[in-house]
């Protein structure tokens, strides 16, 4: 699997920007205290590392799953960051809301509806697997490792559920166009873990 220089740059910028956006959004009290001089910068650095390891890795592997699957089906595939949406994500996280649409893997070549559906499904499926892998670390705390487990499971489950919604450019819409049966079979567990992360965790 090959990466162009531009693709590597876009992946790095998107990873860093999403890490900052999630840190701003999830640690609003800390950011406010930091801006008022009431918290040391090292605390925000710890929050940023936590976001990069959880949300950032979830995003990176989601996009790479799309790329790997597309290449497997003979496609030429490459990630492109949306810098406008990345700026909005960072600004929104600072303002107290978050809409993360950092870019997408664009692929070209002859592909069937089934292949396009499987390429789309690979991203949310990866987030579910990541959420399951992060989950046991919750019980290794208290401490940073436990927080990584909690945040990693929560964010990846939410990413899986959100991306499977049948709307606009989201993965769920592409899966639905391929197969209603496959869409429902994927939607129920992904939205289920997403609701679990949102309402119970």
């Amino acid at each position: 699997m090959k990466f162009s220089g531009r693709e590597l740059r876009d992946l790095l910028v998107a990873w860093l920007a999403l890490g900052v956006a999630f840190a701003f959004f999830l640690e609003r009290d800390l950011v406010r205290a930091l801006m008022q001089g009431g918290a040391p910068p090292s605390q925000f650095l710890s929050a940023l590392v936590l976001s990069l390891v959880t949300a950032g890795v979830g995003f990176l592997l989601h996009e790479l799953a799309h790329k790997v699957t597309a290449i497997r089906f003979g496609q030429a595939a490459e990630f492109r960051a949306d810098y406008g949406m990345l700026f909005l994500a960072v600004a929104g996280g600072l303002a107290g809301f978050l809409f993360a649409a950092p870019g997408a893997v664009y692929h070209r070549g002859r592909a069937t509806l089934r292949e396009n559906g499987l390429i789309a499904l690979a991203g949310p499926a990866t987030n579910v697997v990541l959420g399951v892998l992060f989950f046991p670390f919750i019980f290794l705390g208290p401490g940073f490792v436990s927080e990584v487990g909690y945040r990693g499971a929560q964010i990846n489950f939410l990413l899986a559920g959100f991306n499977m919604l049948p709307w606009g450019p989201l993965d769920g819409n592409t899966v639905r166009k391929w197969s209603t049966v496959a869409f429902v079979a994927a939607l129920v567990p992904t939205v289920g873990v997403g609701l679990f992360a949102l309402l119970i965790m």
Side-chain angles (χ1 to χ4, degrees):
M1 185 168 58
K2 296 180 180 179
F3 296 88
S4 69
R6 178 180 175 182
E7 183 178 24
L8 289 172
R9 181 197 66 197
D10 278 10
L11 284 167
L12 177 61
V13 170
W15 177 55
L16 292 172
L18 282 181
V20 170
F22 272 93
F24 282 165
F25 178 70
L26 295 170
E27 301 290 347
R28 291 190 293 278
D29 291 340
L30 174 59
V31 172
R32 194 176 300 114
L34 184 65
M35 294 175 71
Q36 295 171 353
S42 59
Q43 278 189 262
F44 180 74
L45 181 60
S46 178
L48 177 58
V49 169
L50 180 62
S51 289
L52 290 171
V53 170
T54 55
V57 168
F59 148 73
L60 278 176
L61 294 184
H62 176 109
E63 296 301 334
L64 288 177
H66 288 317
K67 180 182 174 82
V68 168
T69 309
I71 290 172
R72 182 186 173 195
F73 289 129
Q75 304 284 292
E78 190 156 306
F79 176 78
R80 285 288 178 266
D82 185 328
Y83 285 83
M85 292 305 294
L86 286 172
F87 175 79
L88 179 62
V90 173
L94 190 58
F97 70 92
L98 188 59
F99 182 77
V105 169
Y106 294 93
H107 53 93
R108 62 185 184 277
R110 298 181 65 180
T112 65
L113 277 176
R114 174 182 174 274
E115 289 170 345
N116 280 327
L118 290 172
I119 291 168
L121 190 57
T126 297
N127 289 126
V128 171
V129 171
L130 284 171
V132 170
L133 292 175
F134 273 115
F135 195 81
F137 290 94
I138 296 173
F139 307 102
L140 299 180
F144 185 76
V145 173
S146 176
E147 186 66 19
V148 166
Y150 176 82
R151 188 69 56 81
Q154 184 183 49
I155 288 174
N156 277 283
F157 286 155
L158 287 171
L159 285 174
F162 175 75
N163 276 286
M164 275 306 300
L165 296 177
W167 174 78
L170 294 178
D171 297 323
N173 208 21
T174 303
V175 176
R176 182 188 59 80
K177 290 176 182 177
W178 158 45
S179 166
T180 302
V181 173
F183 168 69
V184 172
L187 181 71
V188 171
T190 53
V191 170
V193 295
L195 290 174
F196 169 74
L198 185 66
L199 302 176
I200 299 175
M201 288 188 71

